[in-house]
Amino acid sequence: MLIHELKAYNGRNIYSHQKVIKMIVDLEEWDDIPTNQIPNFNERLLELLPGLSAHHCSLGYEGGFKKRLEEGTYLAHIIEHSALEILNSIGQSVSFGRARRIDETSCYTIVYAQREEYTGLEAGKTAVQLVQALCNGQPYNIKENMKRIQEMAWRFGLGPSTQAIADAALDRGIPVTRIGKGNIIQLGYGKYHKKMEGTLTENTSCISVDIACDKNITKELLTQAGIPVPEGAVCRTVEEAFEAAEEIGYPVVIKPVNGNQGKGVSLNIQSPEEIPNAFRIAAGYSENILVEEYIKGNDYRILVVGDQVTAVSLRIPANVTGDGIHTISQLVEFKNQDQRRGEGHERPLTKIKIDEISLTILRKQGYTPSSIPEKGIRVYLKENGNLSTGGEAIDCTDRIHPDNQEIAIRAARIIGLDIAGIDVKCKSISKPLDLKNGAVIEVNASPGIRMHLFPSKGKARKVGNAIVDILFPYGSKHSVPIISVTGTNGKTTTTRMISHILKAYGMRVGMTTTGGIYINDKCIMKGDTTGPASAKILLTDKAIDAAVLETARGGIIREGLGYDLADVGVMTNISEDHLGFDGVESLEDMLHVKSLVVEAVKSNGHVVLNADDQLVVQAASKTKANIIYFSLQEDNLIVHKHISNGGVAVFLKDNYITLATGNGLLKSLSVTRIPAAYGGKLVHNIENCLAAFSVAYALNIPLQIIESALTSFYCDEIHNPGRFNVYNIRDFRIIVDYGHNLAGYIRVTEAVKKMGGSRLIGVIGTPGDRSDSSVRSIGAVAGKSFHKIFIKEDKFLRGREPGEISRLLMEGVLAEGLSPKAVTLIKNEDDALRTAIREASAGDIIVVFYEDLECIMNVINQETSKVERESNKQASSKFMLVKA
């Protein structure tokens, strides 16, 4: 068995609206062999993955998959379910999966849900290895592989604190984007989004974190505010520590001034003899050492979120309980086998480690690691209750005294933290805190919340929800409006028109197109930026008030969407383009791919559909959002039915853009006033205007703003570069357009014929990822439309051989009867355009279908400069004659 392709989709995609793994697996000789014909296969599979017995499968009930096994099912199906079961076994709850044969081959596309891509990918590989071993009657160590995948999940997955916050955000409908491979996440999009790492938010100031990290400054500020803290002094030498301890009085605590997570802390030091060792341990973390009064009592952590106490935990130091048989080291080893304990913060609890501090604490209790404590005796290995040093927690949220709540909230506010962990030592958190009853020991920035999410005893607290609620109070915005535009043709112009309208409304607009990423009028990245990576670049930028995204087929197939849900989804049209590539064999396949944009729209959002395109109309069944149809025909039956059912539509009536709502018809704007429509000659741009108008209406943009914007949008280098741009050179015209498929050629040539040229000259080409028949058809359209043709070839051949596309275009051109003498092959498009310019006569129109706009513009600018020089030279000569 061979894995030909293995990739992760981390957003909505053509297979599912959840994250998935896609595999293409060649089953080779095992292709047509059902499981009940492979000796011992079913028995061994269920023995290794017993959880498969509970899978429902297509039968829809528990045990359905087992029944399919008994009846005999095929191996691609087994791989799918095995991958899912492996992920479920390590705690990732997933159930979606499918397996489909690719044509008549032995290859299958297998898709299954995942929560984290690295473990998801590894689960797929393991499932294939497992199935192959079972087929060959070989042993397979599933436990070892499961352990490896579990470790990957802990290594690459979000930590418990970050995951809880992410889950809380998703519950509120706030999109979550992971940044990098650590615990930094982004909640929301555009100017409203918030970034955070663990419980440290972007609202927390650096100086507040610095203060919290300096225990001495923290104590000074709290003392000034009248909050009880232990007496203490900062020392830099052991001698200073002796003096401080004598002045404070034993017992004392020695810890680094800027430590965290209980590292380097020695508690309950009873005598001068203990100071040198404790000082040395603390000095390993800081050169400034804090010696302070030891406060007797219990160790509590109070979590303050905003101006509320959200959770309180009693922290129990790392300990073991003797059984009279095993040593302390063995008891620690047994306790560390608890699946809830990990090496760091990846699990609810942390493994206990016997370190230098542990040895000191054991000596105080009269033990060594090899001691065997009596049955029932609790032996402590740490004196602080930090979870990061192996401690445990008991929830006490309902027991905290109101006065103590106020002290904790004030402490966080004084330090300047929006989220803080307040460490308190006292006999009981249910009694008011004062100098006799305890003190505030520390104020922690970025506090861990594992103890509140997974207490050893007591109620788990939804602290992740509280954190999300202070970042995004109910009623506040978390994301900018997202408009996603897809279709075969018209995407770029429609995207630019929408962006132009929103800018006219005063919004700072982020836009992705085939020409680059823009924020307002500034291009921040050149190139074809219509994929998910470009969308993510925009949505992480706080400068934008709205995002208008051109969303192309290729990016959807390769990676899915770069956003979660749009406010408005647009489908302009569906026609022949890229068929025969990436598994898209028909227009119905293309509709399926592009429909993802329509499906991924908020339920209270809008979908804008072309009612004149029967395939686009079919996409209406794929959305729960509000639909706005647009049409060039006022008598379109789809539009009329939609309006009669209370829907909204935008259509052309008597050459006016007309809006139909439940309140009747509203005549808006004559197409003769829209520059991009060229007096009605550019029918495709009228369609694009109708789509843009519909989007603006859905976004509640005032009608006068929409009309003003459409009347100031031109097909020029500023507003719509590379889309039917007209240049006057001497006594002829050049039209530059990105018509790159059959429908594009038809629309452009139909418009050009209305422009009254003496001769029409075409500089034609098309990308290589089109079918042979499509390329010939493009050539045929050109052959019927142009008097003279220059065939050029794209630099990026997209899998074609050099000269192959040119030959197919030539076949199409000549099939329409154009004389071979009127057709010239010129490889480079800049040379082809220069030749067309040289041969142009007065009144001619040259239409160039470009690959590289910059290259074409260089030629036009050079020609323009040449004309200007000649004009200036003639003017100068006339001036000299007059002067003479």
Side-chain angles (χ1 to χ4, degrees):
M1 296 178 190
L2 298 174
I3 299 176
H4 290 306
E5 182 180 337
L6 182 63
K7 67 186 298 183
Y9 290 86
N10 288 314
R12 297 175 189 267
N13 55 82
I14 59 175
Y15 303 103
S16 173
H17 283 261
Q18 57 188 306
K19 298 191 292 187
V20 299
I21 301 294
K22 173 195 172 186
M23 290 197 299
I24 295 180
V25 179
D26 188 347
L27 297 181
E28 299 180 306
E29 71 270 21
W30 299 99
D31 175 26
D32 289 321
I33 302 176
T35 53
N36 58 359
Q37 293 182 18
I38 303 172
N40 301 318
F41 185 96
N42 293 348
E43 295 79 4
R44 290 188 62 205
L45 177 66
L46 294 176
E47 180 183 338
L48 293 172
L49 294 175
L52 287 173
S53 295
H55 283 213
H56 288 212
C57 197
S58 59
L59 297 180
Y61 57 81
E62 186 173 325
F65 178 73
K66 185 178 180 181
K67 183 172 179 59
R68 292 286 304 276
L69 274 177
E70 293 167 354
E71 295 170 348
T73 188
Y74 292 93
L75 296 182
H77 188 208
I78 302 297
I79 293 170
E80 168 208 329
H81 275 270
S82 297
L84 289 170
E85 180 55 28
I86 289 167
L87 293 174
N88 277 286
S89 297
I90 63 168
Q92 297 184 5
S93 180
V94 288
S95 59
F96 170 79
R98 66 173 58 161
R100 298 288 185 272
R101 184 195 291 267
I102 300 175
D103 299 327
E104 298 302 317
T105 69
S106 58
C107 293
Y108 286 77
T109 299
I110 301 172
V111 177
Y112 55 93
Q114 50 104 351
R115 295 288 300 275
E116 189 284 313
E117 67 172 295
Y118 292 100
T119 49
L121 293 168
E122 199 62 29
K125 294 178 189 175
T126 302
V128 172
Q129 292 168 3
L130 167 65
V131 170
Q132 187 156 29
L134 295 181
C135 287
N136 294 328
Q138 298 170 339
Y140 191 78
N141 192 334
I142 190 67
K143 289 184 178 179
E144 181 179 315
N145 282 282
M146 293 278 275
K147 180 182 178 182
R148 178 173 50 83
I149 295 173
Q150 179 73 82
E151 289 171 351
M152 289 182 68
W154 291 325
R155 177 184 174 189
F156 294 112
L158 292 175
S161 298
T162 307
Q163 188 65 59
I165 295 167
D167 290 343
L170 292 172
D171 286 344
R172 285 218 14 216
I174 300 171
V176 178
T177 306
R178 188 175 184 180
I179 300 173
K181 298 177 182 178
N183 282 291
I184 299 176
I185 56 174
Q186 174 183 311
L187 308 182
Y189 294 136
K191 74 176 185 179
Y192 300 110
H193 86 255
K194 302 285 186 182
K195 293 185 180 74
M196 61 189 310
E197 182 175 19
T199 58
L200 189 66
T201 79
E202 65 176 46
N203 295 342
T204 310
S205 72
C206 290
I207 193 167
S208 296
V209 175
D210 285 346
I211 290 171
C213 289
D214 191 313
K215 295 175 174 56
N216 194 49
I217 295 177
T218 297
K219 285 177 61 176
E220 286 184 24
L221 290 172
L222 296 182
T223 300
Q224 291 172 13
I227 294 175
V229 297
E231 181 185 352
V234 176
C235 307
R236 294 177 68 91
T237 66
V238 174
E239 289 72 24
E240 290 178 1
F242 280 126
E243 293 175 10
E246 290 296 330
E247 185 174 339
I248 293 168
Y250 293 96
V252 296
V253 174
I254 294 181
K255 58 186 177 182
V257 165
N258 53 359
N260 57 47
Q261 299 176 356
K263 295 173 183 174
V265 179
S266 297
L267 303 175
N268 197 18
I269 295 173
Q270 300 281 348
S271 66
E273 290 75 21
E274 298 175 54
I275 286 179
N277 188 51
F279 189 93
R280 181 179 58 78
I281 292 171
Y285 297 92
S286 174
E287 60 182 16
N288 294 314
I289 309 302
L290 183 61
V291 179
E292 67 179 18
E293 172 189 6
Y294 175 71
I295 305 295
K296 295 180 180 180
N298 293 315
D299 182 3
Y300 293 96
R301 163 63 63 86
I302 304 171
L303 180 67
V304 176
V305 179
D307 58 358
Q308 299 287 326
V309 168
T310 302
V312 182
S313 289
L314 169 62
R315 300 191 295 183
I316 310 297
N319 65 87
V320 293
T321 301
D323 60 4
I325 301 172
H326 297 95
T327 67
I328 291 172
S329 291
Q330 290 172 325
L331 293 170
V332 168
E333 185 179 344
F334 296 156
K335 197 161 191 176
N336 283 342
Q337 289 174 5
D338 185 339
Q339 288 298 307
R340 295 176 301 165
R341 292 187 180 271
E343 295 295 334
H345 296 257
E346 74 276 5
R347 302 194 217 176
L349 298 173
T350 301
K351 288 183 178 180
I352 301 169
K353 292 177 180 163
I354 300 178
D355 56 15
E356 199 167 3
I357 291 177
S358 302
L359 296 175
T360 300
I361 294 169
L362 287 174
R363 279 196 298 272
K364 286 184 182 180
Q365 299 170 85
Y367 296 114
T368 68
S370 58
S371 300
I372 299 176
E374 293 181 13
K375 185 175 182 178
I377 297 297
R378 179 175 287 186
V379 179
Y380 288 94
L381 294 106
K382 297 286 188 294
E383 286 183 320
N384 67 66
N386 294 63
L387 261 68
S388 56
T389 58
E392 300 171 26
I394 299 172
D395 178 67
C396 299
T397 306
D398 297 329
R399 291 165 49 192
I400 187 171
H401 193 279
D403 290 355
N404 295 342
Q405 289 191 45
E406 184 56 34
I407 287 173
I409 292 167
R410 283 190 63 223
R413 186 167 63 240
I414 288 163
I415 304 304
L417 298 173
D418 53 339
I419 301 171
I422 314 298
D423 291 342
V424 173
K425 284 289 287 289
C426 62
K427 294 178 182 178
S428 173
I429 201 67
S430 61
K431 295 180 180 180
L433 192 68
D434 55 36
L435 290 172
K436 295 180 180 179
N437 184 41
V440 173
I441 305 300
E442 289 182 7
V443 177
N444 299 277
S446 190
I449 57 176
R450 289 186 297 163
M451 68 188 79
H452 310 300
L453 297 169
F454 311 104
S456 302
K457 293 181 182 179
K459 183 179 179 180
R461 301 291 171 172
K462 293 185 176 182
V463 292
N465 300 65
I467 291 170
V468 172
D469 290 347
I470 67 156
L471 291 173
F472 303 101
Y474 279 91
S476 66
K477 295 180 178 179
H478 55 73
S479 297
V480 298
I482 295 174
I483 301 93
S484 183
V485 183
T486 195
T488 302
N489 291 306
K491 299 187 298 295
T492 301
T493 299
T494 302
T495 297
R496 288 168 173 166
M497 284 180 171
I498 296 167
S499 180
H500 186 69
I501 294 170
L502 298 183
K503 285 187 289 184
Y505 189 50
M507 301 178 83
R508 191 172 177 84
V509 183
M511 178 179 72
T512 63
T513 69
T514 52
I517 302 176
Y518 289 78
I519 296 181
N520 271 8
D521 298 322
K522 183 173 180 60
C523 180
I524 63 171
M525 183 181 292
K526 291 184 178 181
D528 186 344
T529 58
T530 56
S534 304
K536 290 175 184 176
I537 289 171
L538 267 189
L539 296 173
T540 59
D541 200 315
K542 280 185 173 287
I544 65 169
D545 300 318
V548 187
L549 311 173
E550 181 178 347
T551 307
R553 168 207 62 89
I556 294 174
I557 292 173
R558 287 192 307 273
E559 300 176 64
L561 298 179
Y563 58 89
D564 185 38
L565 293 172
D567 295 86
V568 185
V570 184
M571 187 179 291
T572 58
N573 46 64
I574 298 290
S575 62
E576 184 178 337
D577 197 17
H578 301 285
L579 298 185
F581 296 89
D582 299 321
V584 179
E585 303 296 332
S586 66
L587 291 177
E588 287 71 24
D589 291 343
M590 185 68 74
L591 175 65
H592 170 71
V593 170
K594 292 181 180 288
S595 288
L596 181 60
V597 169
V598 171
E599 296 168 15
V601 174
K602 298 172 183 175
S603 58
N604 64 345
H606 290 79
V607 167
V608 174
L609 300 175
N610 185 348
D612 297 331
D613 189 313
Q614 292 182 359
L615 281 170
V616 172
V617 171
Q618 292 179 29
S621 64
K622 298 176 180 291
T623 183
K624 296 180 181 178
N626 304 292
I627 294 174
I628 300 178
Y629 282 112
F630 68 90
S631 172
L632 291 169
Q633 312 297 327
E634 64 174 293
D635 58 353
N636 183 290
L637 294 178
I638 298 295
V639 167
H640 276 268
K641 183 177 179 181
H642 186 60
I643 296 171
S644 66
N645 290 331
V648 176
V650 177
F651 55 89
L652 209 59
K653 179 178 174 65
D654 299 328
N655 253 12
Y656 276 82
I657 294 178
T658 303
L659 172 67
T661 68
N663 297 320
L665 301 182
L666 177 65
K667 182 185 286 188
S668 175
L669 189 64
S670 170
V671 296
T672 59
R673 293 183 54 204
I674 301 173
Y678 269 92
K681 295 182 180 69
L682 296 190
V683 176
H684 56 285
N685 268 358
I686 298 175
E687 277 189 338
N688 297 333
C689 286
L690 294 172
F693 187 104
S694 302
V695 171
Y697 175 80
L699 294 172
N700 296 314
I701 307 299
L703 190 60
Q704 60 269 30
I705 297 293
I706 303 173
E707 292 174 345
S708 175
L710 289 177
T711 56
S712 62
F713 183 89
Y714 292 84
C715 281
D716 58 17
E717 291 179 70
I718 297 173
H719 296 108
N720 203 18
R723 299 302 186 274
F724 213 90
N725 300 162
V726 182
Y727 300 91
N728 293 300
I729 308 290
R730 293 198 299 271
D731 49 6
F732 59 87
R733 287 169 285 178
I734 299 177
I735 295 174
V736 178
D737 194 270
Y738 187 58
H740 57 289
N741 54 42
L742 182 58
Y745 265 76
I746 291 171
R747 288 295 182 89
V748 171
T749 53
E750 285 177 349
V752 170
K753 290 173 184 177
K754 301 173 185 176
M755 297 182 69
S758 301
R759 290 187 309 164
L760 300 183
I761 301 172
V763 179
I764 71 169
T766 194
D769 54 350
R770 273 69 175 158
S771 66
D772 289 1
S773 62
S774 180
V775 176
R776 289 191 186 96
S777 296
I778 289 171
V781 170
K784 286 187 290 188
S785 305
F786 295 112
H787 300 92
K788 188 172 183 59
I789 292 176
F790 296 91
I791 299 176
K792 47 90 175 180
E793 189 149 282
D794 287 0
K795 293 178 182 177
F796 181 30
L797 298 177
R798 305 196 188 195
R800 294 283 190 168
E801 293 297 321
E804 188 177 0
I805 291 294
S806 300
R807 176 181 57 78
L808 293 169
L809 285 171
M810 178 69 81
E811 290 175 7
V813 167
L814 296 180
E816 291 302 317
L818 192 65
S819 170
K821 293 181 180 180
V823 186
T824 305
L825 290 174
I826 300 178
K827 181 180 179 181
N828 297 324
E829 66 180 0
D830 54 345
D831 293 335
L833 179 56
R834 286 192 182 93
T835 305
I837 290 172
R838 282 198 304 269
E839 297 187 10
S841 303
D844 286 350
I845 297 176
I846 300 172
V847 184
V848 54
F849 296 92
Y850 68 88
E851 176 196 24
D852 184 344
L853 180 59
E854 186 175 351
C855 169
I856 292 300
M857 290 311 303
N858 285 339
V859 175
I860 291 174
N861 290 334
Q862 289 168 9
E863 192 65 28
T864 302
S865 298
K866 180 180 176 182
V867 171
E868 288 176 354
R869 287 195 302 270
E870 290 175 355
S871 178
N872 291 336
K873 185 176 180 181
Q874 290 174 2
S876 177
S877 298
K878 288 180 181 178
F879 176 76
M880 294 300 293
L881 287 171
V882 170
K883 188 175 181 180

